[in-house]
Amino acid sequence: MRTLRDITRRATIVTTALIVGLTASYAPSQAAEGEARTTITDHPGAPGTMLQQFEDLTGRPVGDLDKVLAVDTGGRTLTGDQLAALAAGKEVDGVKVVGTIPGSRDVLGTTMADLADGAYDGSGDSGTATSLLFSSSTPDGREWCLTMCVASGKTIWQCLLSRRTGDLIFTLDLAGSTTIGGTKAAFEKANGVAVDGPYTVDTLVGDGGPSADEIKMLLDGKDIESMRRVATVDGPDPEWALADIADKSGVVYAKTKGHLFTLNLPILGKILVFCVSQDGGKTWKCSAKQWGGF
């Protein structure tokens, strides 16, 4: 596997390892409903071996490693949604991210124990994390996976991989004072890739907030029933605050306001970011599809 940095990749595979102790040797098997299971003994190269075993087992690529998160779960088993939230850079109640390690060929060649302190340093210490979250991406498709590797002791990891479909969407909570430029920078940081623009900003209004499915529709460039477009500004000033865009666009009042920004990423093309406020512009929830890996 080579280090992931291909900005055209859209599918994300997330592999997690929960450190609670270990007991068996490697024995892959096919689980129900398209899932795959494997057990592996920790050794130099264990992360790479784990991902390769799933490729061999399923006959499908798991992609290249983006990064590894060392996470303290407080002894809890996390849900798939919680793992996906952590991978997307969101906070999860009661869970602490101990450290983040950029993906590389060298990381694939180390041990699970080396990564458990949130740093790739060759120490081999068990560290303070209770789980490891491996994020990798495939070069095509819209598929991502969650794999929980449960440990038992100090050397054995039991892993379960299941695949999901759909684009990964980042959602950030921003204050109304956040500028357009600050909003763009926040998503660039989350994706690790710079974009051009925004070239336009559409203002949408409605009586209530859009559903999760409607937000996905907006990010696909489609219209929705709960909100309608009432204004468009070309080349908006990056210094405009989110709370002021509607007024500067000529929209005086609306119970729910939303702004749809159009940006551009070389090769991928048009990128959309949608922000919505239901408290008069004091706080905003801004969403965008993953555009450049974690």
Side-chain angles (χ1 to χ4, degrees):
M1 295 183 186
R2 61 194 190 288
T3 304
L4 167 84
R5 284 297 179 266
D6 183 346
I7 61 174
T8 64
R9 291 168 183 172
R10 301 296 280 285
T12 301
I13 288 110
V14 178
T15 305
T16 63
L18 180 64
I19 306 173
V20 266
L22 309 184
T23 54
S25 59
Y26 168 68
S29 64
Q30 191 68 39
E33 298 181 357
E35 295 179 338
R37 300 176 187 271
T38 189
T39 303
I40 190 169
T41 302
D42 196 12
H43 64 279
T49 300
M50 176 183 63
L51 295 178
Q52 185 62 55
Q53 295 291 5
F54 279 124
E55 288 196 345
D56 294 343
L57 184 60
T58 62
R60 300 162 68 181
V62 297
D64 302 325
L65 185 64
D66 288 327
K67 69 179 179 180
V68 182
L69 273 66
V71 182
D72 182 0
T73 66
R76 295 185 298 144
T77 299
L78 302 181
T79 65
D81 288 342
Q82 288 173 321
L83 295 171
L86 289 170
K90 301 178 184 178
E91 293 185 358
V92 174
D93 290 342
V95 178
K96 178 182 178 181
V97 176
V98 177
T100 301
I101 304 160
S104 70
R105 185 185 299 275
D106 290 341
V107 170
L108 292 174
T110 190
T111 63
M112 299 287 198
D114 179 25
L115 304 177
D117 61 354
Y120 169 55
D121 52 18
S123 66
D125 295 334
S126 61
T128 57
T130 58
S131 58
L132 292 173
L133 182 63
F134 294 84
S135 297
S136 58
S137 300
T138 56
D140 54 14
R142 295 172 178 263
E143 183 179 70
W144 56 295
C145 305
L146 292 172
T147 304
M148 177 69 78
C149 296
V150 179
S152 198
K154 293 183 177 179
T155 56
I156 306 298
W157 298 79
Q158 298 175 332
C159 307
L160 171 66
L161 176 145
S162 61
R163 298 182 182 269
R164 299 183 177 187
T165 57
D167 289 309
L168 182 63
I169 293 178
F170 291 102
T171 299
L172 303 178
D173 293 320
L174 301 176
S177 58
T178 305
T179 64
I180 292 177
T183 302
K184 171 187 171 182
F187 279 98
E188 287 178 328
K189 182 178 180 180
N191 283 276
V193 177
V195 293
D196 299 326
Y199 298 105
T200 64
V201 56
D202 294 335
T203 296
L204 294 81
V205 298
D207 294 327
S211 66
D213 286 341
E214 285 183 317
I215 289 176
K216 291 179 181 178
M217 291 175 63
L218 285 170
L219 297 179
D220 282 333
K222 302 175 182 178
D223 292 328
I224 60 175
E225 292 186 2
S226 66
M227 302 188 75
R228 67 185 188 280
R229 303 178 196 230
V230 294
T232 299
V233 174
D234 294 325
D237 189 332
E239 296 303 315
W240 286 0
L242 292 176
D244 298 333
I245 295 175
D247 288 341
K248 292 181 180 295
S249 301
V251 180
V252 179
Y253 172 80
K255 184 176 181 180
T256 300
K257 297 177 182 179
H259 301 302
L260 187 66
F261 301 93
T262 301
L263 304 100
N264 185 74
L265 180 64
I267 300 177
L268 253 182
K270 184 170 70 173
I271 297 293
L272 298 176
V273 174
F274 178 68
C275 297
V276 63
S277 175
Q278 294 181 269
D279 60 4
K282 296 179 181 178
T283 60
W284 295 78
K285 285 191 176 295
C286 298
S287 302
K289 290 183 179 180
Q290 174 195 355
W291 64 64
F294 286 114

